[in-house]
Amino acid sequence: MVIYKIIVSIALLLTPWTVKAVSHEELLKIKRNFSMILIPTDSDPFHLKSILSSIEPEEEVSDQAVVELHQRYPFDREKIVFYISSLSDRGAWPDINYEDKKRSGWEPKIHAERILELVKLYYSRQTSYFRSEEVKKTIHKALDYWFTTKPVCLNWWYNQIGVPKTLGTAFILFEQELTSKEKKAAISVMGNAKFGMTGQNKVWLAGNIMMRALLQNDAELVKIARDTIVSEIVTGKIEGIKDDWSFHQHGAQQQFGNYGLSFVSGMSFFSGVFAGTSLAFDERQLGIISTLIDKGYRWIMWKGKMDVSSLGRQLFHHAPIHKALSLAFSASELGGGESKQCISVACNLLKENYGVMKQNPLVGHKHFWQSDYTIHRRPQWMASVKMASDRVVGVEMMNGDNMKGFYMADGATYIYQDGDEYLDIFPLWDWRKLPGVTAFQSDDPMPIIQKCHPRNATSFVGGVSNGMYGISAMEVNRAGIKACKSWIFIDDYMLCLGAGIQSDSNLVVTTAIEQCHRTGDLSILQDGVWNKVAGQWKSVNAEQRFFHHNTGYIIWNVATSSCVAEVAQRSGYWHDVMQMYRSRMVTGEVSSIYLEHGVFPKNKKYQYLILPDTSPATVKNFNLSSIQILRNDEEAQIVYIDRKKMYCITAYQALSLMLNTGCTLDICTPGIYMLYEENNGYSMWCVEPTQKRNLIKVRFRNREICVPLLEKKGQSINVKL
């Protein structure tokens, strides 16, 4: 440890965030900040505690962000009475399985969480238990059990991060009541955390070391731990905050709702803990975190819920609600209420998700180019598309989490209006028919990812955007399926194209259009009349129009593929998705629409339109001739949208396109292009999605135009033609 201190101290002398030595008075200030932040009060300036109190607490919790969110709930007197009365003479609680071997949702951690809850209760002036001898006795007994039995989880994370993080907080708050023996044992528990790793894991570990240093009154180690924490407040590293304002962990993998959420939550907490001392975060550091919220997290939240595709492997019950609320607390507390930039960003996020607003004010189109992830936002709806490439890991299965999510990054497409469309649907889903995904139809168990992350074996994956509209494209070559897929987003609809669909199996191949909770009738337009779909409906007609939950779906020109619409009562188990849950059946009605391409399809294609926030009359009367699909094959997908005077082009190969003005556009570099008429000329937004070429080249009106990419690989570039 001494050698490590010397090495780190020398390294930190060379970094811009190094600060002067920490005084004894500042250590006391940091400990007081712990108490001010963590001991409950009646203060609720943003009414977030009121929102939290309206949500039924979870019975089984594994997600660290949700664990900490639950620690904000008002004290439940019935639970407190149980904690005190049921604790055995040995200091154990009878409802906890201390022999639990799960790697996620490990039950002994509940013991640590209850200790922290009791410590907060002991110091809370809001209850009659303030400085209660009965509560203090219970805390000492529960601590003694942990120090004596030393529970160990099979998952390293609980031993080095999760449990020390929870107990360390309790130790700091309860320090004055700890005996010398208990304090020595507490320091030993905290000693399980060592400096190392990357991204949020690095921050967690350093935070635990910082708490140990506070118990030891080791000012030098507190400073080293703090500087290690803030060393991750940067962009552009392999893991952590990316240049496109997404967050990566476990390699090139988007982790907004998992590690990224814990990063923001932790940094918000530390910004308060160090406030008023020489270790306080500076405006640059606070600016980076608030920008991550502003340019990243605000985009993936809709009406107080996080997008399903941002959750990573953490598909817990109520996860979109809990994670969004956890972020809201963190944003509101970032900088201790003293940074104008942090306050501004927090207010925007809170108004958009928890205010009384008729329309969503954050409107536009954003493609996270380092994460193969697209968000499209309109005043009344939001859509997301999650993809994967040979650069970007799509999804992971780990520690019993996400046991069915094999296809979650193969173009999964979610549409939100009220925000509840997919809330807690995970046990009821047909996981081979996630919206937007082309996959095999089968009743066999879902493939399990072992020791490696699923990647798509192609680099042609990306998106182009002008800030308001956009195109995303994905060449799929994964798990026996090949396809070329494009998504075109404008004001009031999303157009989805697929071509070149092939497979290597004798299983039927499907493309799912929608699979969500049933909200009202699923209706089909037949002979000019809307009729309710009961059970399953199937047809090979050239054109079909459906309506469900204020959303229209129009499918046309799908060749010999069958269109299937279904409303079904389903049942399932949370345990099958997330193994930390007990095996309890849940039921619900699901509405779904999908295409069947058959067995061994060869160059099959599809085209369908989704119109959110609409009416049956609008869907019925929608004029498809306003959308001219010029090509939809494995070489190119080209659409001309008449009312926007816009060409949407996914060019998998070099090609020539005759524009309606008689001009020829030669696309020499395969890529994604959005071309529209502007001021008697053309404006073109383009992207080279493979991120392997150094320039984009086109020919227009006998001019060769070369756009150097330099540091802009994967990003949208505007060119005037």
Side-chain angles (χ1 to χ4, degrees):
M1 184 65 220
V2 174
I3 295 175
Y4 183 87
K5 278 187 178 182
I6 294 171
I7 294 173
V8 173
S9 297
I10 292 172
L12 292 175
L13 286 172
L14 304 177
T15 62
W17 54 77
T18 301
V19 294
K20 64 182 182 181
V22 182
S23 67
H24 177 71
E25 289 71 22
E26 287 183 313
L27 292 183
L28 294 177
K29 170 67 173 174
I30 291 169
K31 292 178 182 180
R32 287 196 297 270
N33 286 346
F34 262 92
S35 296
M36 291 178 61
I37 293 170
L38 294 168
I39 301 302
T41 67
D42 291 326
S43 176
D44 189 15
F46 297 100
H47 307 292
L48 294 176
K49 291 181 183 178
S50 302
I51 296 170
L52 176 63
S53 297
S54 70
I55 302 170
E56 189 73 21
E58 295 293 306
E59 295 181 5
E60 301 170 87
V61 180
S62 176
D63 179 5
Q64 183 64 25
V66 180
V67 167
E68 293 169 15
L69 183 66
H70 275 55
Q71 291 168 0
R72 295 177 181 269
Y73 271 97
F75 294 114
D76 183 329
R77 183 174 179 82
E78 187 176 329
K79 282 187 177 181
I80 297 302
V81 170
F82 171 76
Y83 295 165
I84 295 172
S85 63
S86 66
L87 193 68
S88 71
D89 291 339
R90 295 180 60 228
W93 277 287
D95 61 324
I96 296 177
N97 175 16
Y98 291 93
E99 301 302 319
D100 187 21
K101 302 299 181 185
K102 293 196 301 293
R103 297 180 61 85
S104 179
W106 183 56
E107 286 199 33
K109 74 178 178 61
I110 299 172
H111 186 102
E113 291 161 8
R114 288 180 182 175
I115 290 174
L116 177 56
E117 187 175 358
L118 288 168
V119 168
K120 289 181 179 181
L121 178 74
Y122 179 73
Y123 288 109
S124 175
R125 297 179 181 273
Q126 294 178 303
T127 75
S128 59
Y129 289 105
F130 177 65
R131 299 284 185 173
S132 163
E133 287 298 319
E134 188 178 29
V135 171
K136 183 165 71 170
K137 180 180 178 182
T138 303
I139 295 169
H140 283 297
K141 191 185 293 185
L143 284 173
D144 182 66
Y145 179 83
W146 194 273
F147 294 150
T148 302
T149 60
K150 297 180 174 62
V152 176
C153 183
L154 296 176
N155 182 350
W156 71 271
W157 188 91
Y158 285 104
N159 306 322
Q160 297 181 40
I161 294 177
V163 168
K165 189 176 190 301
T166 300
L167 285 180
T169 306
F171 297 152
I172 298 297
L173 297 177
F174 202 61
E175 183 180 10
Q176 297 305 312
E177 301 289 352
L178 294 175
T179 66
S180 58
K181 180 180 178 182
E182 286 173 336
K183 191 167 185 179
K184 182 178 180 181
I187 291 170
S188 178
V189 169
M190 301 308 294
N192 288 325
K194 311 291 184 185
F195 286 113
M197 306 195 78
T198 59
Q200 178 54 26
N201 284 329
K202 176 181 176 181
V203 173
W204 271 323
L205 290 166
N208 289 347
I209 292 169
M210 187 270 294
M211 288 190 286
R212 171 167 63 86
L214 286 174
L215 289 173
Q216 296 172 310
N217 290 313
D218 187 337
E220 182 184 1
L221 184 56
V222 168
K223 177 175 173 293
I224 291 173
R226 177 268 185 198
D227 288 346
T228 301
I229 290 167
V230 301
S231 72
E232 287 299 309
I233 309 178
V234 294
T235 61
K237 296 174 71 173
I238 294 175
E239 294 191 348
I241 306 172
K242 304 303 291 182
D243 292 325
D244 65 355
W245 300 105
S246 60
F247 192 96
H248 284 190
Q249 191 88 38
H250 292 173
Q253 183 178 180
Q254 182 257 107
Q255 296 271 15
F256 267 124
N258 186 354
Y259 292 94
L261 176 58
S262 289
F263 177 88
V264 174
S265 177
M267 290 303 176
S268 176
F269 175 75
F270 290 126
S271 73
V273 164
F274 295 126
T277 74
S278 61
L279 299 180
F281 289 9
D282 61 33
E283 284 300 314
R284 180 188 66 84
Q285 292 154 352
L286 291 174
I288 291 174
I289 302 165
S290 62
T291 304
L292 173 61
I293 296 172
D294 187 40
K295 295 185 177 181
Y297 281 93
R298 283 181 63 206
W299 285 82
I300 66 169
M301 288 175 62
W302 184 261
K303 294 188 176 181
K305 302 173 185 72
M306 270 196 190
D307 174 33
V308 170
S309 283
S310 71
L311 302 178
R313 71 176 193 264
Q314 295 193 327
L315 307 179
F316 298 110
H317 180 264
H318 261 37
I321 292 176
H322 289 144
K323 289 179 179 294
L325 193 53
S326 176
L327 179 74
F329 273 108
S330 300
S332 68
E333 296 166 354
L334 181 62
E338 297 182 2
S339 166
K340 291 182 179 179
Q341 179 178 357
C342 294
I343 293 170
S344 175
V345 170
C347 287
N348 287 334
L349 182 139
L350 294 170
K351 283 190 296 185
E352 291 156 6
N353 289 279
Y354 303 103
V356 180
M357 306 182 74
K358 292 184 178 179
Q359 292 188 342
N360 154 55
L362 180 58
V363 173
H365 186 92
K366 185 177 181 68
H367 179 71
F368 293 94
W369 55 274
Q370 289 177 304
S371 293
D372 294 341
Y373 181 38
T374 299
I375 299 290
H376 184 73
R377 298 175 65 99
R378 309 313 301 168
Q380 302 291 357
W381 58 278
M382 183 180 96
S384 72
V385 177
K386 184 174 184 179
M387 305 174 290
S389 62
D390 59 5
R391 304 178 305 275
V392 176
V393 175
V395 68
E396 64 184 1
M397 298 177 181
M398 188 179 297
N399 300 328
D401 295 349
N402 188 30
M403 298 307 293
K404 293 195 171 187
F406 187 79
Y407 291 106
M408 288 193 77
D410 286 17
T413 307
Y414 305 116
I415 310 291
Y416 301 93
Q417 294 176 84
D418 59 30
D420 293 335
E421 287 80 0
Y422 313 100
L423 181 64
D424 296 339
I425 200 172
F426 306 136
L428 308 178
W429 253 346
D430 178 344
W431 285 84
R432 295 176 184 271
K433 293 186 177 69
L434 301 182
V437 169
T438 300
F440 293 115
Q441 181 170 270
S442 175
D443 294 326
D444 291 342
M446 290 295 296
I448 300 297
I449 305 163
Q450 295 180 340
K451 296 184 179 179
C452 64
H453 303 297
R455 291 180 186 258
N456 183 25
T458 179
S459 58
F460 196 104
V461 179
V464 67
S465 170
N466 67 359
M468 291 303 295
Y469 312 133
I471 309 166
S472 293
M474 178 184 190
E475 193 173 36
V476 179
N477 183 6
R478 181 172 176 268
I481 296 283
K482 291 185 178 181
C484 298
K485 304 167 79 77
S486 289
W487 295 260
I488 297 170
F489 303 85
I490 63 167
D491 294 303
D492 51 359
Y493 63 72
M494 177 172 62
L495 175 63
C496 305
L497 302 176
I501 300 172
Q502 301 179 50
S503 76
D504 65 358
S505 169
N506 59 1
L507 295 171
V508 171
V509 176
T510 67
T511 294
I513 297 171
E514 184 62 281
Q515 189 183 187
C516 62
H517 287 299
R518 175 181 174 270
T519 305
D521 292 337
L522 170 61
S523 302
I524 181 172
L525 187 65
Q526 296 175 308
D527 298 323
V529 178
W530 289 105
N531 294 314
K532 176 182 175 180
V533 174
Q536 188 182 86
W537 179 93
K538 189 173 183 177
S539 174
V540 292
N541 290 348
E543 180 184 317
Q544 300 296 341
R545 300 190 183 210
F546 300 94
F547 186 82
H548 174 252
H549 188 38
N550 299 322
T551 303
Y553 306 86
I554 304 177
I555 302 102
W556 77 109
N557 287 349
V558 291
T560 58
S561 297
S562 298
C563 180
V564 182
E566 182 179 69
V567 175
Q569 181 80 16
R570 294 187 189 167
S571 60
Y573 298 88
W574 278 99
H575 175 80
D576 292 344
V577 181
M578 304 289 289
Q579 292 186 346
M580 54 84 59
Y581 285 111
R582 298 181 182 90
S583 192
R584 298 171 181 168
M585 180 180 288
V586 295
T587 60
E589 280 192 298
V590 175
S591 175
S592 58
I593 305 170
Y594 60 92
L595 298 169
E596 288 184 348
H597 303 298
V599 177
F600 291 121
K602 188 169 180 60
N603 294 328
K604 287 290 182 74
K605 62 183 181 180
Y606 63 76
Q607 54 194 50
Y608 63 86
L609 199 64
I610 300 179
L611 297 93
D613 183 42
T614 191
S615 67
T618 300
V619 179
K620 176 182 176 179
N621 298 321
F622 189 90
N623 183 7
L624 289 173
S625 65
S626 65
I627 302 173
Q628 300 176 36
I629 299 180
L630 306 179
R631 287 187 68 172
N632 183 20
D633 54 55
E634 59 271 26
E635 294 183 3
Q637 289 161 323
I638 306 175
V639 177
Y640 180 69
I641 300 174
D642 184 64
R643 63 186 171 93
K644 295 293 181 184
K645 306 298 182 185
M646 181 168 67
Y647 290 89
C648 301
I649 306 164
T650 302
Y652 300 100
Q653 299 181 18
L655 59 85
S656 292
L657 173 64
M658 178 69 72
L659 306 182
N660 55 12
T661 57
C663 300
T664 298
L665 174 68
D666 293 318
I667 294 178
C668 307
T669 306
I672 310 171
Y673 298 82
M674 193 160 56
L675 179 74
Y676 50 90
E677 297 176 26
E678 182 179 78
N679 300 327
N680 298 320
Y682 284 95
S683 181
M684 181 177 73
W685 286 86
C686 53
V687 69
E688 196 287 297
T690 71
Q691 301 183 27
K692 294 180 178 179
R693 298 180 177 92
N694 293 319
L695 59 82
I696 291 174
K697 184 167 73 173
V698 299
R699 293 189 185 92
F700 184 69
R701 290 176 176 167
N702 298 319
R703 285 192 305 129
E704 186 174 273
I705 301 168
C706 294
V707 182
L709 298 177
L710 302 175
E711 301 301 320
K712 302 285 286 184
K713 290 184 179 180
Q715 301 177 62
S716 298
I717 298 174
N718 184 230
V719 181
K720 304 298 181 183
L721 299 183

